[in-house]
Amino acid sequence: MSTMRVTRLEAVPVSVPLREPFTSALGTQTTSDYGIVLAEADDGSLGVGEISLIWHGDGAALCDAVNTLLAPAVVGMNPFEVTRFQAVAADVLAFGRHSLAAVAGVETALLDLAGQAAGQPVHSLLGGLARDRVPLSMSLPVAPVPQVLARAAELAGQGFRTVKVKGAGDHDLLVAAVAALRAEHGPGLGIRVDLNMACRLAKDAVTLVRRLEPYGVLSVEQPLPAADLDGMAEVRAATAVPIMADESVWSPDDAWRAIRARAADVINIYVPEAGGLTAARRIADLCAVAGVGVAVGSMPELGAGTAAAAHLAFSVPRLDQPSDVAGHLYHAGDVVTTELVIEDGFLLPPTSPGLGVRLDRDRLEACRIR
Ligand SMILES: [Mg+2]
């Protein structure tokens, strides 16, 4: 039994540019303003976690919450005791969804420490490998059809087998892009569609999803606003394409509500929105019990957050759709190096003890928000 203790906890706000601006129904993202969590233990090891959250575009406030509220409570804790940590975090942090990303970042750093101490990758602490590779999906921003085709051809040339087409208000543009992708690549390309809540009414979403049916899409993600579970259920019932919930489901209790409302065929699970790997796993377990499909989503995360998502994707009981576990590829630079290996569009399992990332202190300083 480990008697290891956390001796220091710090969150550093960072800003890392994307390789190119990314446009979806949520707007245009040019940088990821996140946080990096550093947890030191009494055996001299360093655990790394990431606070990733696009929703208000600034990890700095969450880093401040970690440094002022969580750090005093976490120092002295055994990093293996993540269930106890979750209870402490719930007591210490103000109620609010955004704080889930901070909890996730700290829990990831604790699990990194625990995995290193155990000499095992983090996925071993979550039940071990349930699969030997994870099919990846790469996202295509909202753009004119020729640009969508060009980017998809580039990705296909790199070996990726599934793309996710982002849709916004212009439904004709979305249908044209999906039709053009199918015409150019044939049945071999997996096509996902993500509306990021772009439809206002269930009947509009039904009309749009029916227009997409002939092109054999794997799923249509979050056609309606997050709270409209009844509408999502209506779209599901009226169409043949699997409907995926993303913005509707952050935490395990959201997943429970979405499952009870029959709002989704598949739930897209995010480590930061769930509140960490163990909460994300709880959602996956709910899905397994309820017969609902699972995908793993991305903010997109930097390397540390992507590694956390990878450990989840490799260990969940079911994984039904190609997943977005490649956030680091969208960024120009990083503050860690990862051991993530992608082969023929599949992610291979991390094998090093812990999270499998190495912090680059110089890069951390270069990206630090002051
Ligand atoms: Mg989504």
Side-chain angles (χ1 to χ4, degrees):
M1 181 168 166
S2 170
T3 55
M4 183 186 202
R5 298 288 155 190
V6 176
T7 52
R8 190 167 172 278
L9 183 74
E10 183 191 5
V12 178
V14 296
S15 181
V16 178
L18 295 179
R19 286 183 190 280
E20 42 198 46
F22 190 94
T23 298
S24 73
L26 305 172
T28 298
Q29 185 181 358
T30 56
T31 62
S32 291
D33 292 353
Y34 296 162
I36 297 296
V37 178
L38 308 175
E40 293 171 16
D42 55 3
D43 66 353
S45 54
L46 172 71
V48 178
E50 181 177 316
I51 302 170
S52 359
L53 197 65
I54 58 168
W55 295 101
H56 59 154
D58 186 5
L62 293 174
C63 288
D64 192 49
V66 169
N67 293 332
T68 58
L69 300 173
L70 267 183
V74 169
V75 168
M77 289 191 77
N78 178 337
F80 282 87
E81 294 176 354
V82 287
T83 305
R84 189 196 301 261
F85 159 71
Q86 288 282 343
V88 166
D91 277 349
V92 163
L93 292 176
F95 176 78
R97 312 199 124 201
H98 287 152
S99 66
L100 291 171
V103 176
V106 175
E107 193 205 59
T108 300
L110 297 181
L111 287 169
D112 187 14
L113 287 174
Q116 290 176 55
Q120 293 289 329
V122 166
H123 59 68
S124 293
L125 305 178
L126 301 170
L129 293 181
R131 54 199 57 79
D132 295 318
R133 52 186 202 167
V134 165
L136 294 176
S137 165
M138 294 294 288
S139 294
L140 305 170
V142 174
V145 173
Q147 273 168 253
V148 171
L149 286 177
R151 179 68 185 132
E154 198 181 323
L155 290 166
Q158 293 165 11
F160 293 103
R161 294 150 189 245
T162 300
V163 294
K164 177 153 99 176
V165 187
K166 291 283 190 173
D170 186 343
H171 295 180
D172 292 339
L173 175 65
L174 172 63
V175 174
V178 169
L181 283 166
R182 185 56 76 215
E184 186 160 303
H185 294 272
L189 183 72
I191 302 176
R192 291 172 58 188
V193 170
D194 188 359
L195 286 160
N196 290 110
M197 313 181 284
C199 298
R200 285 289 154 255
L201 296 171
K203 59 175 63 174
D204 297 338
V206 168
T207 303
L208 175 57
V209 175
R210 286 192 179 146
R211 290 178 70 190
L212 293 167
E213 278 173 358
Y215 305 107
V217 299
L218 293 170
S219 52
V220 173
E221 189 171 338
Q222 197 70 41
L224 291 168
D228 191 2
L229 297 180
D230 291 342
M232 293 276 285
E234 205 178 316
V235 178
R236 245 193 104 199
T239 59
V241 179
I243 301 300
M244 187 182 292
D246 174 346
E247 284 86 343
S248 289
V249 176
W250 282 43
S251 60
D253 49 309
D254 292 335
W256 176 238
R257 275 190 289 273
I259 289 167
R260 282 191 300 174
R262 303 188 175 280
D265 295 288
V266 185
I267 290 179
N268 202 8
I269 305 175
Y270 289 66
V271 175
E273 291 178 349
L277 277 160
T278 57
R281 174 54 181 264
R282 199 165 297 140
I283 297 175
D285 289 340
L286 278 173
C287 289
V289 172
V292 169
V294 165
V296 174
S298 172
M299 286 295 163
E301 287 85 353
L302 299 165
T306 303
H311 288 284
L312 178 74
F314 276 104
S315 57
V316 286
R318 58 184 290 179
L319 188 70
D320 297 82
Q321 297 244 331
S323 289
D324 307 305
V325 194
H328 59 312
L329 299 183
Y330 297 88
H331 290 94
D334 207 327
V335 299
V336 299
T337 51
T338 79
E339 58 168 32
L340 296 173
V341 177
I342 297 169
E343 202 175 86
D344 277 340
F346 290 88
L347 186 65
L348 302 186
T351 55
S352 296
L355 196 60
V357 303
R358 186 175 303 131
L359 180 69
D360 182 331
R361 296 258 179 203
D362 293 338
R363 288 287 308 153
L364 182 68
E365 287 312 312
C367 296
R368 183 191 283 264
I369 299 172
R370 289 167 203 285

Short mmCIF file of all heavy atoms in Angstrom, two decimals, residues 164 166 192 194 196 221-222 246-247 268 270 324, ligand 1:
data_model
loop_
_atom_site.label_atom_id
_atom_site.label_comp_id
_atom_site.label_asym_id
_atom_site.label_seq_id
_atom_site.Cartn_x
_atom_site.Cartn_y
_atom_site.Cartn_z
N LYS A 164 -14.77 14.44 -39.22
CA LYS A 164 -15.98 15.00 -38.61
C LYS A 164 -16.23 16.36 -39.24
O LYS A 164 -15.39 17.26 -39.13
CB LYS A 164 -15.79 15.11 -37.10
CG LYS A 164 -16.96 15.75 -36.40
CD LYS A 164 -17.06 15.28 -34.96
CE LYS A 164 -16.47 16.26 -33.99
NZ LYS A 164 -16.66 15.83 -32.59
N LYS A 166 -18.02 19.80 -39.44
CA LYS A 166 -18.72 20.73 -38.55
C LYS A 166 -19.78 21.49 -39.34
O LYS A 166 -19.52 21.96 -40.46
CB LYS A 166 -17.71 21.72 -37.94
CG LYS A 166 -16.75 21.08 -36.96
CD LYS A 166 -17.43 20.83 -35.62
CE LYS A 166 -16.41 20.42 -34.56
NZ LYS A 166 -17.02 20.33 -33.21
N ARG A 192 -18.48 11.70 -39.81
CA ARG A 192 -19.31 12.15 -38.70
C ARG A 192 -19.73 13.59 -38.97
O ARG A 192 -19.04 14.31 -39.70
CB ARG A 192 -18.53 12.10 -37.38
CG ARG A 192 -18.19 10.71 -36.89
CD ARG A 192 -17.24 10.74 -35.69
NE ARG A 192 -17.80 11.51 -34.56
CZ ARG A 192 -17.11 11.82 -33.46
NH1 ARG A 192 -15.85 11.45 -33.33
NH2 ARG A 192 -17.67 12.50 -32.49
N ASP A 194 -21.05 17.15 -36.87
CA ASP A 194 -21.24 17.78 -35.56
C ASP A 194 -21.87 19.15 -35.74
O ASP A 194 -21.29 20.04 -36.37
CB ASP A 194 -19.89 17.93 -34.85
CG ASP A 194 -20.05 18.41 -33.42
OD1 ASP A 194 -21.20 18.63 -32.98
OD2 ASP A 194 -19.01 18.55 -32.73
N ASN A 196 -22.94 21.11 -33.16
CA ASN A 196 -22.69 22.02 -32.02
C ASN A 196 -23.91 22.89 -31.72
O ASN A 196 -23.80 24.11 -31.58
CB ASN A 196 -21.46 22.91 -32.29
CG ASN A 196 -20.15 22.13 -32.26
OD1 ASN A 196 -19.51 21.95 -33.31
ND2 ASN A 196 -19.75 21.65 -31.11
N GLU A 221 -23.98 14.77 -34.39
CA GLU A 221 -23.69 15.14 -33.01
C GLU A 221 -24.41 16.43 -32.64
O GLU A 221 -24.36 17.41 -33.38
CB GLU A 221 -22.16 15.31 -32.90
CG GLU A 221 -21.61 15.49 -31.52
CD GLU A 221 -20.08 15.43 -31.55
OE1 GLU A 221 -19.49 14.85 -32.50
OE2 GLU A 221 -19.47 15.98 -30.62
N GLN A 222 -25.07 16.39 -31.52
CA GLN A 222 -25.68 17.54 -30.85
C GLN A 222 -26.35 18.53 -31.82
O GLN A 222 -25.94 19.67 -31.94
CB GLN A 222 -24.61 18.29 -30.04
CG GLN A 222 -25.23 19.23 -28.99
CD GLN A 222 -25.88 18.49 -27.83
OE1 GLN A 222 -25.38 17.51 -27.34
NE2 GLN A 222 -27.03 18.97 -27.41
N ASP A 246 -23.29 15.66 -27.08
CA ASP A 246 -22.00 16.20 -26.64
C ASP A 246 -22.27 17.28 -25.61
O ASP A 246 -22.17 17.05 -24.40
CB ASP A 246 -21.23 16.72 -27.86
CG ASP A 246 -19.93 17.42 -27.48
OD1 ASP A 246 -19.74 17.74 -26.29
OD2 ASP A 246 -19.08 17.67 -28.35
N GLU A 247 -22.69 18.47 -26.05
CA GLU A 247 -22.91 19.57 -25.12
C GLU A 247 -23.97 19.24 -24.06
O GLU A 247 -23.97 19.84 -22.98
CB GLU A 247 -23.30 20.85 -25.89
CG GLU A 247 -22.14 21.55 -26.59
CD GLU A 247 -21.84 21.02 -27.99
OE1 GLU A 247 -22.30 19.90 -28.33
OE2 GLU A 247 -21.13 21.70 -28.76
N ASN A 268 -20.75 11.45 -26.30
CA ASN A 268 -19.36 11.85 -26.51
C ASN A 268 -18.81 12.32 -25.17
O ASN A 268 -19.27 13.33 -24.63
CB ASN A 268 -19.32 12.97 -27.55
CG ASN A 268 -17.97 13.09 -28.23
OD1 ASN A 268 -17.09 12.26 -28.04
ND2 ASN A 268 -17.80 14.14 -29.03
N TYR A 270 -16.05 13.68 -22.45
CA TYR A 270 -14.86 14.53 -22.33
C TYR A 270 -14.31 14.42 -20.92
O TYR A 270 -15.06 14.63 -19.95
CB TYR A 270 -15.23 16.00 -22.57
CG TYR A 270 -15.57 16.37 -23.99
CD1 TYR A 270 -16.71 15.86 -24.60
CD2 TYR A 270 -14.77 17.24 -24.71
CE1 TYR A 270 -17.03 16.21 -25.90
CE2 TYR A 270 -15.08 17.60 -26.02
CZ TYR A 270 -16.21 17.08 -26.61
OH TYR A 270 -16.52 17.42 -27.89
N ASP A 324 -12.18 11.54 -31.02
CA ASP A 324 -11.40 12.77 -31.27
C ASP A 324 -10.14 12.85 -30.41
O ASP A 324 -9.82 13.90 -29.90
CB ASP A 324 -12.28 13.98 -30.98
CG ASP A 324 -13.61 13.97 -31.72
OD1 ASP A 324 -13.59 13.85 -32.95
OD2 ASP A 324 -14.66 14.07 -31.07
MG MG B 1 -19.01 18.09 -30.43
#
